Amino acid sequence: MMSTSDLEQLAEIELQKEDEEEKEEDQSCVTDAPSPPHTRITPDPSHPFYDVARHGIIQVSGDDKYGRKLIIFSSCCLPPSHQLNHQRLLDYLKFTLDQYVENDYILVYFHYGLRSSNKPSLKWLRQAYGEFDRKYKKNMKTLYVVHPTNFIRIVWNIFKPLISHKFGRKLTYVNYLEELREHLNYEQLIIPPDVIRHDEKLRAAQKGGPPPSVKTPPPRPPLPTQQFGVSLQYIREKNRDALIPPVISQTVTYLKEKGVRTEGIFRRSARVQLIKDVQKLYNLGKPVNFDEYSDVHVPAVILKTFLRELPEPLLTFRLFPQVQELLGVESSLRVSRCKQMVESLPEHHFIVAKYLLSFLHMVSEESIVNRMSSSNLACVFGVNLLWPRHGSISLTALTPINIFTEILVEHFTTVFGSRCPAAQVTP
């Protein structure tokens, strides 16, 4: 059996070999060339970890298909080791995770671009694993390792004695980006251009595999009963002009009765197959009885999933750039500015938003019991209510989105008016 030092030496040899194989490819995204607009990272210079954050190594990219936060680590964005304090990198990773570890979350690791010149030491990796105590590991549901190489497998063998069997089961190797579509909201992923080019090269070289230019077939037209992935207008037309979509009204009604006082409501995920089954029932126009699932987190996840799969976010594409400017508004004026933005929504979007935010305000009023303050709800719902028309939500863009959503929840009566939509619309 090889010793740990032998494995470490073998890992370094493998990484050097991979360096040589990739030397004809483009340089990693840490070059002097500017990144495309949708991937450029522009954190505020006052950010406590600006020295690390400016590289874009770590990103938060909305939720996956089942309501779990996506944390992305891109190796190709690591600068040469002498230009980065790796202890600061570890502290920044913990700083980022601390905002989300109370929720279920997913970690996506893009391995391409890790080289001898920019890789952290194996000692650093041991320290990182040791510092990630139970609070970080418990709610991490899956670790996707994208484009794994022999180096990854050797490192895994080095760490195997340290890693629990339960944690080991969370590891999933992903050979091609296309495989992520089955599990994640692919369009919202922040993927460095070099990773995309590397993936295209791998697919082109894949024996018998489809060339990169192969297009997916056009989507089938939606069913008349379709609820997920179609517009609010479509749902309204197909449901006798119902002002509130059935998925929203039914989940909210159920959660008002049985979920408002549940600790961590909206923070937990549910079994993936259950969510798929419920979505299928809704899309086929069949009745859904949440009591059958004996899990109040099922309707909670269904509500978030419905919002996330709308072709246009509930708070519309038009509001996204306005919300991004919110940090420049004086704190004392932000509530009135949010009121102006909300009142500019199209009528149907305003009605549905008022109904939903009334409920979230109600949830926040029970925060002593459910631990879901307006700030916590904003962290969960912000990315499900608002996203850009093109590209992904960057870590920088999340802050104003969360502030905006927190104001909508906490100051609901001021922002939306004193009349509760629940009194106007019967769920």
Side-chain angles (χ1 to χ4, degrees):
M1 178 178 288
M2 296 184 73
S3 67
T4 299
S5 60
D6 289 337
L7 285 170
E8 290 183 8
Q9 187 176 2
L10 184 58
E12 182 59 35
I13 292 171
E14 281 295 330
L15 195 58
Q16 290 176 1
K17 189 189 301 181
E18 291 166 18
D19 285 356
E20 293 173 2
E21 291 173 353
E22 294 168 4
K23 66 183 178 181
E24 294 182 358
E25 293 192 36
D26 294 334
Q27 293 297 310
S28 71
C29 59
V30 216
T31 63
D32 293 331
S35 300
H38 68 285
T39 59
R40 186 174 296 152
I41 310 303
T42 54
D44 189 325
S46 64
H47 191 290
F49 288 93
Y50 176 77
D51 56 318
V52 182
R54 66 191 179 92
H55 296 292
I57 303 161
I58 299 165
Q59 295 281 3
V60 179
S61 186
D63 291 6
D64 74 351
K65 290 184 176 181
Y66 308 103
R68 300 170 294 197
K69 282 286 178 293
L70 293 170
I71 314 293
I72 296 170
F73 188 106
S74 299
S75 290
C76 76
C77 294
L78 284 165
S81 294
H82 68 276
Q83 295 179 13
L84 180 67
N85 181 326
H86 287 144
Q87 180 58 49
R88 290 279 292 166
L89 173 62
L90 177 57
D91 291 342
Y92 176 48
L93 179 57
K94 290 164 67 177
F95 170 82
T96 303
L97 290 177
D98 278 338
Q99 302 173 56
Y100 303 103
V101 291
E102 293 299 323
N103 308 319
D104 293 339
Y105 72 98
I106 302 293
L107 192 58
V108 180
Y109 168 66
F110 291 121
H111 176 62
Y112 175 74
L114 188 72
R115 293 180 166 85
S116 297
S117 60
N118 68 358
K119 77 172 182 63
S121 67
L122 292 178
K123 180 181 178 181
W124 180 88
L125 288 174
R126 284 198 195 90
Q127 179 188 352
Y129 185 80
E131 290 193 23
F132 280 90
D133 56 24
R134 187 173 181 272
K135 78 170 183 177
Y136 296 103
K137 297 168 187 172
K138 176 187 173 186
N139 290 334
M140 188 186 79
K141 296 306 174 184
T142 309
L143 166 58
Y144 291 104
V145 176
V146 183
H147 300 139
T149 62
N150 285 337
F151 171 80
I152 289 288
R153 293 178 176 89
I154 292 169
V155 169
W156 179 255
N157 283 327
I158 293 173
F159 281 84
K160 216 170 185 178
L162 306 175
I163 295 173
S164 69
H165 177 66
K166 187 174 182 180
F167 184 85
R169 286 184 302 174
K170 298 180 179 182
L171 178 69
T172 299
Y173 288 131
V174 176
N175 294 313
Y176 304 100
L177 291 174
E178 188 65 28
E179 296 171 24
L180 290 174
R181 290 185 185 275
E182 182 182 345
H183 309 286
L184 309 177
N185 189 339
Y186 186 83
E187 282 65 32
Q188 288 192 12
L189 280 176
I190 298 174
I191 307 176
D194 290 311
V195 172
I196 295 174
R197 284 194 289 269
H198 178 66
D199 188 77
E200 290 173 349
K201 179 184 175 184
L202 290 178
R203 289 173 59 210
Q206 181 188 15
K207 187 176 180 179
S213 59
V214 169
K215 296 181 179 179
T216 55
R220 296 179 180 178
L223 297 168
T225 52
Q226 191 88 13
Q227 299 292 311
F228 289 84
V230 292
S231 69
L232 291 178
Q233 184 62 32
Y234 183 90
I235 295 171
R236 182 173 179 175
E237 290 173 356
K238 301 297 182 183
N239 288 270
R240 301 177 182 177
D241 280 335
L243 291 176
I244 308 301
V247 175
I248 293 183
S249 64
Q250 290 168 20
T251 53
V252 165
T253 299
Y254 187 88
L255 290 168
K256 277 183 179 179
E257 182 183 348
K258 300 185 178 180
V260 171
R261 296 178 65 84
T262 299
E263 183 174 338
I265 190 67
F266 296 118
R267 277 182 168 168
R268 299 280 81 85
S269 55
R271 283 205 300 119
V272 169
Q273 191 55 52
L274 275 185
I275 301 305
K276 289 181 178 179
D277 291 344
V278 174
Q279 284 184 279
K280 186 175 181 180
L281 287 174
Y282 270 119
N283 286 336
L284 293 174
K286 295 182 178 180
V288 174
N289 180 1
F290 287 115
D291 282 328
E292 293 179 0
Y293 303 101
S294 303
D295 183 359
V296 73
H297 297 293
V298 171
V301 172
I302 284 292
L303 176 58
K304 291 189 295 180
T305 303
F306 174 83
L307 294 169
R308 192 164 47 254
E309 293 193 6
L310 287 170
E312 179 171 23
L314 178 59
L315 298 181
T316 72
F317 292 126
R318 190 176 60 80
L319 248 57
F320 184 84
Q322 297 179 41
V323 170
Q324 292 302 298
E325 296 171 356
L326 193 60
L327 292 179
V329 177
E330 189 177 329
S331 297
S332 61
L333 301 176
R334 285 179 182 174
V335 175
S336 59
R337 178 68 187 115
C338 290
K339 180 178 175 65
Q340 291 173 357
M341 285 191 277
V342 165
E343 288 179 345
S344 72
L345 288 169
E347 182 183 11
H348 192 204
H349 283 257
F350 177 84
I351 291 170
V352 177
K354 185 175 183 179
Y355 180 90
L356 176 65
L357 269 299
S358 170
F359 167 62
L360 296 183
H361 178 71
M362 179 191 301
V363 174
S364 72
E365 290 183 319
E366 298 286 348
S367 62
I368 293 178
V369 178
N370 62 33
R371 306 290 181 90
M372 295 303 291
S373 64
S374 55
S375 176
N376 291 333
L377 287 167
C379 183
V380 171
F381 273 90
V383 291
N384 296 316
L385 296 174
L386 198 66
W387 58 83
R389 187 182 298 273
H390 303 293
S392 309
I393 298 177
S394 69
L395 186 56
T396 308
L398 273 178
T399 300
I401 290 175
N402 289 348
I403 290 173
F404 177 64
T405 309
E406 182 177 353
I407 290 173
L408 300 193
V409 175
E410 185 173 347
H411 300 278
F412 167 77
T413 303
T414 302
V415 173
F416 286 91
S418 58
R419 295 179 64 188
C420 176
Q424 303 168 29
V425 183
T426 304

